[in-house]
Amino acid sequence: MNKLIEKAKLTHNLDKDEILELLQNDNINEELFKAADEVRQEFLGDYVHLRGLIEFTNICKRNCMYCGLRRDNKNLERYRLTKEEILDFANKAVSYGYKTLVLQGGEDDYFTKERMTEIVKEIKNLGVALTLSLGEKTYEEYKAFKEAGADRYLIRIETTDKKLYEDMDPNMSFEERLDCLNNLRDLGYEVGSGILVGLPNQTLESIAKDILFFKLINADMIGIGPFIPNEDTPLKASKGGDLTLALKVMALTRLILPDINIPATTAMESLTPNGRIIALQSGANVVMPNVTEGEYRKLYALYPGKICTGDTPAHCRGCITGKVTGIGRIISDGYGFRGNQNTNAHDESLI
Ligand code: SAH
Ligand code: SF4
């Protein structure tokens, strides 16, 4: 076995140069994926946690260069779900067996602290774990959501290269993004972050630093997405990321953070059919099927080619169950908190 992969498997530690060496060497990819798969098996078993994703608004005040929801994109029909619609989708998701729901959206100021807190409370009454992914909010807002019952928060750092970050996210500050991650941690959330792979001018060295950053903040969840250029953004002519590099970043993350939750991301499957299954066999242990209904799925257009936009939540649930069991894995019926992977939902006292 490659010496560095062996070391990572045993010690869960690599330095920047070692990570870089593995990122640069494409002869070791299969070995790397296999090692990540074995570490996932050793620490987390064969369970796959499903998180039902509700894309509740595509209105965003930010202008991230890569994202189709950016405010300057005038080609996108905008929507915002009502509280009743959100709760309806949440109820249905619970009836399909989801134990975790994720509320994700653009930074939409309609959803004030008060409105959001109401929604969080009502969803928590359904007995699920709740993840929020609403971008940058104040400490007070994060605190109010936590007190209302939110369990987890996803906010990708996107890249730890400050200059690249600020080039990609105009008028956003890298330090403020870091503050968000620190505040979420202080407030007791399970914290999820991650990066886009394949941004213009992103180097392998910078990706190696990103992976070390995940370890430094001891992230509970890491989502890695290949960047997929969107026609309606300034980055439409970019090359974008490829699945192999995204998988390598994900596999290396699994080796150095062996017990965290790592999703097989939708963007991976949007690039390559079966991308999520390949990811589940290369270190991932989570899938986030869409439980948004109707036309909204198409309108939540972060990037083109997004999968399953014509499908119903019931179809997606059945489809992913078939795929997961087809590779010998088990759909977990637990909440899937970090460090509580193999327990049954009924044993978990956290809810
Ligand atoms: N507004 C929130 C959550 C919604 S965006 C936020 O920005 O945190 C969720 C994620 O979509 C972002 O973190 C980004 O990594 C990803 N994304 C945006 N545009 C993308 C693209 N063109 N290709 C792949 N992923 C993209
Ligand atoms: Fe808005 Fe998030 Fe898209 Fe940035 S990545 S434009 S914050 S939805």
Side-chain angles (χ1 to χ4, degrees), residues 66-126:
Y66 40 78
C67 178
L69 307 194
R70 66 199 305 272
R71 68 164 185 269
D72 283 355
N73 179 10
K74 306 292 183 226
N75 292 337
L76 183 66
E77 184 189 324
R78 302 286 172 162
Y79 74 87
R80 167 188 289 146
L81 301 190
T82 63
K83 184 173 118 183
E84 289 67 34
E85 284 175 303
I86 295 172
L87 292 171
D88 178 40
F89 294 170
N91 263 301
K92 286 182 181 145
V94 171
S95 77
Y96 300 133
Y98 288 101
K99 293 289 190 309
T100 292
L101 297 181
V102 183
L103 274 185
Q104 192 186 75
E107 292 198 25
D108 179 353
D109 284 338
Y110 171 83
F111 290 99
T112 56
K113 184 172 87 179
E114 289 68 32
R115 288 192 171 118
M116 217 49 235
T117 310
E118 268 308 297
I119 294 168
V120 168
K121 281 188 187 146
E122 297 216 27
I123 292 184
K124 285 298 293 182
N125 282 338
L126 304 175

Side-chain angles (χ1 to χ4, degrees), residues 17-233:
D17 291 336
E18 292 169 332
I19 294 176
L20 183 60
E21 196 178 317
L22 291 171
L23 287 173
Q24 284 166 336
N25 182 356
D26 271 333
N27 298 322
I28 50 82
N29 293 356
E30 289 312 316
E31 219 180 307
L32 175 64
F33 299 149
K34 185 162 177 284
D37 194 43
E38 286 166 4
V39 168
R40 183 273 309 156
Q41 221 281 333
E42 180 191 339
F43 280 78
L44 307 172
D46 284 331
Y47 292 93
V48 172
H49 299 286
L50 300 185
R51 324 288 201 194
L53 177 67
I54 303 177
E55 298 162 332
F56 73 105
T57 174
N58 73 353
I59 296 170
C60 191
K61 67 179 180 187
R62 305 281 185 188
N63 222 4
C64 305
M65 302 292 268
Y66 40 78
C67 178
L69 307 194
R70 66 199 305 272
R71 68 164 185 269
D72 283 355
N73 179 10
K74 306 292 183 226
N75 292 337
L76 183 66
E77 184 189 324
R78 302 286 172 162
Y79 74 87
R80 167 188 289 146
L81 301 190
T82 63
K83 184 173 118 183
E84 289 67 34
E85 284 175 303
I86 295 172
L87 292 171
D88 178 40
F89 294 170
N91 263 301
K92 286 182 181 145
V94 171
S95 77
Y96 300 133
Y98 288 101
K99 293 289 190 309
T100 292
L101 297 181
V102 183
L103 274 185
Q104 192 186 75
E107 292 198 25
D108 179 353
D109 284 338
Y110 171 83
F111 290 99
T112 56
K113 184 172 87 179
E114 289 68 32
R115 288 192 171 118
M116 217 49 235
T117 310
E118 268 308 297
I119 294 168
V120 168
K121 281 188 187 146
E122 297 216 27
I123 292 184
K124 285 298 293 182
N125 282 338
L126 304 175
V128 287
L130 179 61
T131 308
L132 298 177
S133 177
L134 333 171
E136 298 188 16
K137 302 284 166 187
T138 62
Y139 183 88
E140 281 64 40
E141 287 171 303
Y142 287 151
K143 185 162 181 278
F145 305 155
K146 186 78 185 62
E147 285 169 358
D151 302 282
R152 312 181 179 126
Y153 205 99
L154 302 176
I155 182 163
R156 289 185 180 168
I157 192 72
E158 316 292 0
T159 167
T160 58
D161 176 334
K162 177 175 156 59
K163 174 163 186 325
L164 179 59
Y165 178 86
E166 290 177 358
D167 286 348
M168 289 294 113
D169 296 351
N171 300 317
M172 289 175 81
S173 129
F174 183 68
E175 278 73 27
E176 279 169 22
R177 197 82 169 172
L178 290 181
D179 286 347
C180 287
L181 285 164
N182 284 330
N183 289 342
L184 290 162
R185 174 66 83 205
D186 287 352
L187 286 163
Y189 282 91
E190 281 206 331
V191 178
S193 197
I195 59 162
L196 283 168
V197 171
L199 290 169
N201 301 320
Q202 187 183 38
T203 61
L204 290 182
E205 183 169 9
S206 122
I207 293 177
K209 289 185 191 159
D210 297 341
I211 296 171
L212 286 180
F213 173 80
F214 304 155
K215 178 103 173 161
L216 179 76
I217 65 167
N218 189 21
D220 300 304
M221 306 169 276
I222 287 294
I224 307 292
F227 159 54
I228 306 177
N230 186 320
E231 263 302 302
D232 293 325
T233 65

